[in-house]
Amino acid sequence: MVRVLCALTIWLAVALRLAAAQAATTAKSDTGVAAYAFDLSQVTLGEGRWHENQNRTLTYLKFVDIDRLLYVYRSNHNLSTKNATPNGGWDAPSFPFRGHVQGHFLTAWAQCYAQLRDDSCKDRAVTFVAELQKCQSNNKALGFNDGYLSGFPESDFDELESGTLGNGNVPYYVLHKLMAGLLDVYKLVGDNNSMAVLSALGAWVDARTEKLSFNQMQKVLETEFGGMSEVLTDMYGQLGDSRWLAVAQRFEHVAVLRPLSTGQDQLNGLHANTQVPKWIGAAREYKATGNQTYQAIAHNAWGITVRAHTYAIGGNSQAEHFRQPDAISGYLTYDTAESCNSYNMLKLTLELWQANPENTTYFDYYEQTLMNQLIGQQNPADSHGHVTYFNSLNPGGRRGVGPAWGGGNWSTDYDSFWCCQGTALETNTKLMDSIYFHDETSLYVNLFVPSVLKWAEKHVTVEQTTTFPVSDTTSLHISGSGTFTLRVRIPAWTSGAVITINGVNARVRTSSGTYASISRLWTSGDVVNITLPMTFRLLPANDNKMLAAVAYGPVVLCGDYRSGSVSTTPTLLLSSLRRTSASALFFSALAGGQTVTLRPYYDAQGVNYVVYWMTTDSLSKS
Ligand SMILES: *[C@@H]1O[C@H](CO)[C@@H](O)[C@H](O)[C@H]1NC(C)=O
Ligand SMILES: *[C@@H]1O[C@H](CO)[C@@H](O)[C@H](O)[C@H]1NC(C)=O
Ligand SMILES: *[C@@H]1O[C@H](CO)[C@@H](O)[C@H](O)[C@H]1NC(C)=O
Ligand SMILES: *[C@@H]1O[C@H](CO)[C@@H](O)[C@H](O)[C@H]1NC(C)=O
Ligand SMILES: *[C@@H]1O[C@H](CO)[C@@H](O)[C@H](O)[C@H]1NC(C)=O
Ligand SMILES: *[C@@H]1O[C@H](CO)[C@@H](O)[C@H](O)[C@H]1NC(C)=O
Ligand SMILES: *[C@@H]1O[C@H](CO)[C@@H](O)[C@H](O)[C@H]1NC(C)=O
């Protein structure tokens, strides 16, 4: 199915969708997309943990000193650094691939503006781009080629191409983040300057890579290069110039993508977060070209990762690497489930679901990973919403504590700037983007989160009120009136779901793992109540059925050991599990001979916890 992607620019009324051709929209239609995101401005979060996470990230976004963030760019392009203090961590002047986090800030400021029309976010984005443009304009004086823009010298790319670049240095990775940020500022803020900077940088990438033979380029692609194929394909979608698609296709890493196109799992030993963006790139290239090989790569990569490399909390990787298929039990360490990989897997999940919106599996995974891992990645006690890099799954693990550089620790205002701090800025400014979707005649409800959707095209507002997952019921309050099909995800984890309309059983099929569909003329005051009964579930390690995490409905639980140390995996008596509060998610069970409190993994902050348990008995029927 070919439709015009409804990516309307923000400053135009959403009603312009009816006249999409005249809006400053994407020039290219996407192939194979059957469900569409709403504009970020159409959905707002209601009170709750998600909104609180967003608020903390917004506070940091408006606090951070722009001159400090510009330091490595100005310094590299020989402009005054205005006496700013240099950053530490991954943005320190001596750090090899400094300059990546700035792209994440651009995206996060743009998303803040897109959603809230917050002028301080807009001003930061626009000012930052203007300052970057001054850096880019100074290239001649320095002997850099036209369009180059970075916090490190262009000679890093000479070294990359000649195979002499220092180990662990990843220049195209940084360029991708910057390009993605610039594209978002153009798309979401409407800053044409940002497209000018991006196009010049894109032209630099074109000139640089055009000179290389296929084999030379494949050699370059052995070094982590982020989502270069993704962002260049998006430029093609945005501008319609096939030049960008051709440059994107130079970033197809054949050694990784070819086995995936035929469903082979050759991920063992690969750096995980290097690979996921290549798959997102393939998904985007499918939408740009209709070439099914790309779709097969994206589809197979997702299935292999989710089935054979994923922990109970939705994340993958140990010490940043994929291990053998199904190898979970031997890798429950402090450095599991790198946060960036999950951010990227969620992007890939969206791509696949939009091509196949009948299938609930994708949003079951989305919910699992976002709720358990990424919401919990942020420290709720920190007003700047700092985050962890990994998500420890070792017995006695604890957020914010870890032996490696940055690894187990919370991020800081100016001395971390790791990849996972950057992706968390993005995650926590777009939490509203995956709750609702639509096509011409349907509204999809994929996530159960307090929020308000203004579906202007249908003159309908839907307010979702819920304390889910504390409560198993969510309510959709309709105002305005219109005919459409409501499609509600009935997760695989529930059974016996019930939907009522205005208190009366709607008598629709609510089988778990399907979308329940209700078509009717909706009118103001209609209330749809969706109840998704939760029970205890076991999430065993693929390679050891006796070793399992426990979930309650969608919520992965962990034992709260406070400051008590735990060094070996306790045995949990499954038959002893009880919920101990009706108004909060507190549970108790016997583990290792003592009574232990269990609570959501995302809420295990400032305590030592246990996620995976040895088990010898079965869950009692509750
Ligand atoms: C978020 O911040 C806004 C503005 O500061 C405030 O009105 C709102 O109550 C906050 N919401 C949450 C959930 O923290
Ligand atoms: C960098 O700027 C300084 C003045 O701020 C100038 O003296 C120097 O020549 C410049 N270096 C290059 C390589 O352009
Ligand atoms: C941005 O560029 C577009 C197309 O070139 C133009 O229509 C629009 O007016 C420009 N916007 C601004 C704010 O200059
Ligand atoms: C589809 O993409 C694959 C992977 O890049 C390529 O090998 C193949 O030639 C393409 N097929 C067509 C019809 O363009
Ligand atoms: C849904 O997608 C998943 C992942 O690709 C697949 O395993 C499953 O068979 C699909 N379900 C249906 C009903 O097509
Ligand atoms: C973790 O952060 C704290 C506070 O910023 C710092 O004192 C400590 O050295 C860090 N630990 C590691 C292992 O990096
Ligand atoms: C919907 O569910 C909420 C929460 O359980 C309840 O308070 C409300 O009375 C229900 N409304 C209808 C119309 O069923």
Side-chain angles (χ1 to χ4, degrees):
M1 196 177 333
V2 181
R3 294 192 198 179
V4 175
L5 179 68
C6 184
L8 290 181
T9 38
I10 284 302
W11 63 92
L12 290 164
V14 284
L16 267 180
R17 177 162 176 269
L18 297 169
Q22 59 178 269
T25 53
T26 51
K28 278 282 304 164
S29 311
D30 278 358
T31 300
V33 174
Y36 302 85
F38 285 98
D39 190 292
L40 287 180
S41 66
Q42 288 178 276
V43 184
T44 45
L45 295 175
E47 296 290 298
R49 176 67 184 274
W50 292 36
H51 198 172
E52 292 162 12
N53 269 31
Q54 173 179 283
N55 268 8
R56 287 184 283 262
T57 296
L58 291 176
T59 304
Y60 178 49
L61 286 179
K62 297 181 202 182
F63 154 87
V64 74
D65 181 345
I66 283 185
D67 285 323
R68 293 192 68 169
L69 288 177
L70 283 165
Y71 187 99
V72 293
Y73 281 89
R74 285 171 168 162
S75 153
N76 189 49
H77 290 263
N78 202 25
L79 296 178
S80 164
T81 56
K82 310 207 167 165
N83 294 320
T85 310
N87 290 326
W90 289 23
D91 203 43
S94 59
F95 192 79
F97 57 97
R98 56 197 176 269
H100 82 96
V101 80
Q102 290 77 350
H104 293 292
F105 275 100
L106 289 175
T107 293
W109 285 322
Q111 289 176 166
C112 160
Y113 175 72
Q115 185 203 154
L116 303 166
R117 296 295 189 277
D118 184 308
D119 284 329
S120 74
C121 284
K122 175 183 177 172
D123 291 348
R124 280 168 170 260
V126 169
T127 305
F128 205 87
V129 169
E131 292 302 316
L132 288 176
Q133 190 165 40
K134 291 180 194 164
C135 296
Q136 194 179 40
S137 303
N138 202 35
N139 281 345
K140 272 216 169 50
L142 293 159
F144 291 162
N145 284 303
D146 274 356
Y148 186 64
L149 179 59
S150 178
F152 46 80
E154 195 177 353
S155 57
D156 280 18
F157 287 91
D158 300 335
E159 292 175 15
L160 175 66
E161 289 163 13
S162 64
T164 55
L165 187 70
N167 199 15
N169 194 356
V170 289
Y172 274 119
Y173 172 88
V174 176
L175 239 53
H176 159 244
K177 305 297 164 202
L178 180 61
M179 291 174 76
L182 290 167
L183 184 57
D184 286 334
V185 173
Y186 171 73
K187 284 201 300 198
L188 300 177
V189 179
D191 180 22
N192 286 346
N193 215 24
S194 198
M195 181 49 81
V197 175
L198 175 61
S199 296
L201 182 53
W204 178 90
V205 175
D206 184 7
R208 187 98 213 176
T209 52
E210 192 264 324
K211 292 203 277 263
L212 302 181
S213 70
F214 176 82
N215 287 339
Q216 285 171 323
M217 190 66 197
Q218 291 300 311
K219 203 85 188 131
V220 162
L221 299 184
E222 288 171 14
T223 297
E224 183 173 11
F225 58 91
M228 285 300 290
S229 57
E230 172 194 345
V231 71
L232 286 157
T233 305
D234 288 353
M235 283 175 72
Y236 169 60
Q238 191 69 42
L239 302 170
D241 183 346
S242 59
R243 172 190 194 181
W244 303 123
L245 179 62
V247 185
Q249 288 174 324
R250 291 182 201 142
F251 286 89
E252 290 169 10
H253 190 196
V254 173
V256 168
L257 300 184
R258 185 168 289 156
L260 287 168
S261 70
T262 55
Q264 295 170 57
D265 183 348
Q266 296 185 5
L267 301 181
N268 182 21
L270 296 183
H271 183 261
N273 195 47
T274 297
Q275 315 314 322
V276 189
K278 298 174 189 172
W279 312 338
I280 299 169
R284 295 278 164 85
E285 288 176 280
Y286 164 66
K287 289 181 179 175
T289 65
N291 182 333
Q292 296 283 348
T293 304
Y294 294 131
Q295 183 69 344
I297 290 166
H299 177 269
N300 293 339
W302 188 92
I304 286 168
T305 303
V306 171
R307 276 193 303 274
H309 298 275
T310 294
Y311 300 103
I313 58 169
N316 60 66
S317 79
Q318 186 267 338
E320 305 194 6
H321 286 71
F322 286 122
R323 304 299 170 190
Q324 302 87 337
D326 297 324
I328 298 289
S329 62
Y331 293 98
L332 298 174
T333 52
Y334 85 91
D335 53 0
T336 39
E338 185 185 357
S339 299
C340 285
N341 312 9
S342 294
Y343 155 90
N344 276 315
M345 280 298 290
L346 294 188
K347 270 188 157 179
L348 182 64
T349 303
L350 265 186
E351 294 292 327
L352 294 167
W353 178 78
Q354 289 189 281
N356 190 4
E358 305 293 298
N359 189 325
T360 52
T361 308
Y362 296 109
F363 264 92
D364 284 356
Y365 171 78
Y366 203 102
E367 174 184 65
Q368 172 190 11
T369 308
L370 183 56
M371 174 189 290
N372 293 299
Q373 180 179 334
L374 294 185
I375 292 289
Q377 181 207 0
Q378 193 196 74
N379 182 359
D382 182 292
S383 64
H384 288 180
H386 282 300
V387 293
T388 60
Y389 192 119
F390 297 113
N391 297 267
S392 311
L393 292 170
N394 56 316
R398 183 183 180 107
R399 288 191 169 90
V401 174
W405 49 272
N409 224 337
W410 298 111
S411 57
T412 57
D413 286 343
Y414 291 113
D415 290 309
S416 316
F417 295 124
W418 339 290
C419 52
C420 296
Q421 185 176 7
T423 49
L425 297 178
E426 296 191 26
T427 295
N428 288 297
T429 48
K430 67 174 175 79
L431 291 167
M432 72 302 299
D433 79 341
S434 25
I435 305 171
Y436 308 101
F437 293 84
H438 68 94
D439 60 25
E440 293 297 318
T441 56
S442 313
L443 174 66
Y444 289 89
V445 179
N446 268 327
L447 296 174
F448 310 113
V449 179
S451 52
V452 179
L453 163 70
K454 293 214 167 78
W455 194 7
E457 297 84 350
K458 291 271 187 243
H459 311 289
V460 163
T461 297
V462 178
E463 179 173 12
Q464 186 174 175
T465 57
T466 184
T467 58
F468 185 91
V470 174
S471 155
D472 63 5
T473 297
T474 191
S475 306
L476 305 175
H477 307 258
I478 315 278
S479 21
S481 118
T483 300
F484 60 89
T485 303
L486 182 67
R487 298 188 191 277
V488 179
R489 179 176 61 96
I490 308 296
W493 50 256
T494 192
S495 68
V498 175
I499 298 183
T500 65
I501 302 174
N502 304 326
V504 178
N505 192 321
R507 297 182 183 283
V508 289
R509 242 174 77 97
T510 57
S511 319
S512 46
T514 66
Y515 282 90
S517 296
I518 308 170
S519 305
R520 66 184 233 145
L521 172 64
W522 300 94
T523 55
S524 275
D526 282 346
V527 179
V528 182
N529 266 8
I530 303 147
T531 301
L532 304 168
M534 297 183 191
T535 53
F536 292 115
R537 299 184 300 134
L538 276 188
L539 304 172
N542 293 3
D543 56 349
N544 181 354
K545 299 295 165 202
M546 309 280 283
L547 183 72
V550 177
Y552 183 69
V555 183
V556 175
L557 304 180
C558 66
D560 177 351
Y561 283 80
R562 296 164 183 261
S563 54
S565 69
V566 188
S567 48
T568 56
T569 304
T571 299
L572 184 75
L573 189 63
L574 293 172
S575 58
S576 69
L577 257 175
R578 298 283 178 271
R579 186 169 177 175
T580 54
S581 162
S583 59
L585 291 174
F586 281 106
F587 305 83
S588 82
L590 285 172
Q594 54 171 306
T595 300
V596 174
T597 296
L598 288 94
R599 45 200 300 221
Y601 173 73
Y602 59 74
D603 272 341
Q605 309 283 348
V607 300
N608 299 339
Y609 57 71
V610 171
V611 178
Y612 278 91
W613 311 86
M614 287 311 301
T615 62
T616 51
D617 66 337
S618 316
L619 289 167
S620 54
K621 297 267 170 262
S622 48

